[in-house]
Amino acid sequence: MTIEQRIGPISLPDNRTQRLLTALLAGSGVTLNGDAPWDPQIYHPDFCSRILRQGSLGLGESYMDGWWECESLDELACRLLLHGLGERARPTPDRIIYRLQAGLLNLQSKARAYMVGEAHYDLGNDLFERMLDPTMCYSCGYWKEAATLHEAQLAKLELACRKLELRPGMQVLDIGCGWGSFAEYAARHHGVSVTGITISREQAELARQRCAGLPIDIRLMDYRELDGRFDRIVSIGMFEHVGHRNYVTYFETVEKLLADTGLFLLHTIGSNSSEITVDPWIDRYIFPNGVLPSARDIADASEGLLLLEDWHNFGPDYDRTLMAWRDNFDARWHEIAERYSKRIERMFRYYLSVCAGAFRARDIQLWQVVFSRARTERYDAPR
């Protein structure tokens, strides 16, 4: 039965798996086939057994398969996480296997560095152009005084520029430049020259088009291949792809490339725990080999290399950013629907929604961290 052929939610069979799942949900405010917007409506009799067997991977895949619907996926995710079902939704064998792999293998080695670019960022510029705002920022906006997504993204870019104390003529490195959002803004509004690197061919191509005529050099390369010296370094939404085995190498690279009086701004999603873990659905379908750093990870890896000047958490702003992306995605999907499958549509809608719920639950954070190399004067970070 296809998604289009479904008539309505089914009556769940009264069996052991249904009772177990219902018991797990008790107290969360979530009811299978309930009346609230965050209650999942079930369309397949094997839903409960699949969730209990596969955890969060089964939950995401079954949504992609059309086994269930939910009016408010974001609030469903938030309530499940607040109820403590985040880590419990990852089967123990999966957690053990990932920790063994991460311990024995470098899942983010140079040879594997381009995997996330090919799997996610190269999916299609037409999709991201409709989902994002005109800046093409694919990272958290700054909503302190913003009323729209575009205002929030411009505010984020300006905030980063002010934290870096940019001045005309400076040489700036953008590690993980995406579609050139920061590079274009900094060059146009602060008179700097920017070298931007990305591991996505689609991003590099569009970034070069967007930055044409500006003192910007966009390169398709891994950060470990860089040479040179820069007055300022920025990395927005890239550190999540570095991996714990490479954190020290990353900061050693930044320290090597940063001028003696330079500043480095790291903008990254962060984990509340230092335990090496990953959501299996996100890992398989959205960001292969991605892993979120903890505050300890960042502090330990940078110790002895850079001086930590400022740490700013505005994680709740990512909830609003993701919901704005989802609104754009829903409103403009029809423009590209013929070029993508229904499964891709459901995959993206699920991804944007559950991530918004995770930030709403404060299960994950968004940090901007400023480092210096040999600064002697006081640093006062703008807000």
Side-chain angles (χ1 to χ4, degrees):
M1 180 175 63
T2 66
I3 296 174
E4 292 76 11
Q5 293 173 326
R6 298 175 313 181
I7 299 174
I10 65 167
S11 296
L12 289 170
D14 183 16
N15 55 28
R16 180 175 176 273
T17 56
Q18 185 270 337
R19 290 190 293 271
L20 282 173
L21 188 55
T22 299
L24 282 172
L25 293 173
S28 68
V30 174
T31 303
L32 301 178
N33 285 341
D35 297 327
W38 52 82
D39 289 335
Q41 307 301 307
I42 313 306
Y43 289 81
H44 197 287
D46 295 331
F47 170 83
C48 294
S49 60
R50 185 173 184 179
I51 304 310
L52 289 174
R53 185 175 67 253
Q54 296 181 314
S56 61
L57 178 62
L59 186 66
E61 286 187 336
S62 62
Y63 182 80
M64 291 166 63
D65 293 339
W67 282 27
W68 60 282
E69 297 288 351
C70 183
E71 181 182 342
S72 183
L73 283 167
D74 49 295
E75 189 61 22
L76 169 63
C78 178
R79 288 170 178 267
L80 293 180
L81 289 168
L82 288 174
H83 192 55
L85 292 179
E87 187 64 18
R88 291 169 67 188
R90 300 164 195 167
T92 299
D94 291 348
R95 297 201 300 269
I96 293 173
I97 289 171
Y98 180 80
R99 288 168 193 160
L100 287 173
Q101 287 179 330
L104 297 173
L105 304 173
N106 186 349
L107 299 178
Q108 299 82 15
S109 65
K110 280 187 181 181
R112 300 169 62 92
Y114 292 82
M115 288 178 63
V116 68
E118 295 168 356
H120 187 72
Y121 299 108
D122 287 348
L123 189 61
N125 286 336
D126 56 349
L127 188 155
F128 291 104
E129 284 173 325
R130 285 157 177 82
M131 186 177 87
L132 307 178
D133 79 300
T135 68
M136 290 296 287
C137 281
Y138 194 20
S139 55
C140 182
Y142 191 51
W143 292 83
K144 182 179 180 181
E145 298 177 355
T148 67
L149 174 63
H150 189 51
E151 291 177 359
Q153 294 295 12
L154 290 174
K156 183 265 299 296
L157 294 172
E158 180 60 25
L159 180 68
C161 291
R162 289 170 57 213
K163 286 182 177 180
L164 288 167
E165 299 177 350
L166 295 186
R167 295 189 301 274
M170 281 184 170
Q171 298 292 320
V172 179
L173 171 65
D174 185 353
I175 302 176
C177 66
W179 290 279
S181 307
F182 177 86
E184 179 187 17
Y185 185 91
R188 193 178 300 280
H189 296 282
H190 292 269
V192 298
S193 299
V194 184
T195 298
I197 65 167
T198 176
I199 43 80
S200 165
R201 297 183 186 278
E202 291 287 320
Q203 285 187 335
E205 180 180 346
L206 185 56
R208 291 178 184 130
Q209 296 173 16
R210 287 164 49 84
C211 298
L214 294 170
I216 297 172
D217 178 19
I218 302 295
R219 304 178 187 178
L220 184 68
M221 65 185 302
D222 183 77
Y223 69 94
R224 285 161 286 202
E225 301 168 349
L226 277 164
D227 288 310
R229 200 75 162 169
F230 299 89
D231 300 302
R232 300 289 188 265
I233 300 178
V234 65
S235 185
I236 298 177
M238 176 271 178
F239 195 68
E240 299 90 333
H241 304 302
V242 169
H244 74 284
R245 289 175 66 100
N246 304 302
Y247 289 153
V248 172
T249 298
Y250 179 91
F251 279 102
E252 287 176 341
T253 301
V254 170
E255 192 273 340
K256 178 187 72 172
L257 298 171
L258 187 63
D260 288 344
T261 57
L263 292 172
F264 165 51
L265 184 143
L266 177 67
H267 174 118
T268 182
I269 300 172
S271 171
N272 294 335
S273 169
S274 296
E275 182 181 6
I276 301 172
T277 185
V278 67
D279 180 89
W281 186 85
I282 293 288
D283 182 60
R284 177 174 294 185
Y285 291 99
I286 307 300
F287 299 122
N289 305 318
V291 61
L292 300 183
S294 69
R296 181 190 298 173
D297 291 331
I298 294 172
D300 286 350
S302 62
E303 185 175 325
L305 295 169
L306 297 169
L307 178 63
L308 198 160
E309 298 282 3
D310 183 68
W311 199 300
H312 185 188
N313 185 355
F314 50 97
D317 285 17
Y318 224 145
D319 178 7
R320 294 186 67 180
T321 302
L322 283 153
M323 293 303 290
W325 288 344
R326 198 191 73 181
D327 288 344
N328 288 346
F329 181 83
D330 287 346
R332 301 191 64 187
W333 174 257
H334 68 277
E335 298 175 13
I336 56 173
E338 292 184 357
R339 297 194 289 279
Y340 296 91
S341 68
K342 185 70 175 177
R343 190 172 170 83
I344 290 292
E345 178 189 7
R346 293 178 69 83
M347 179 184 80
F348 257 80
R349 197 168 199 283
Y350 183 82
Y351 146 59
L352 296 170
S353 300
V354 298
C355 287
F359 282 101
R360 193 176 306 162
R362 300 309 300 273
D363 187 64
I364 47 181
Q365 311 304 322
L366 189 286
W367 299 319
Q368 277 193 355
V369 191
V370 178
F371 298 88
S372 69
R373 194 164 183 267
R375 188 184 180 101
T376 56
E377 67 268 29
R378 170 183 172 135
Y379 178 83
D380 290 305
R383 293 290 190 267

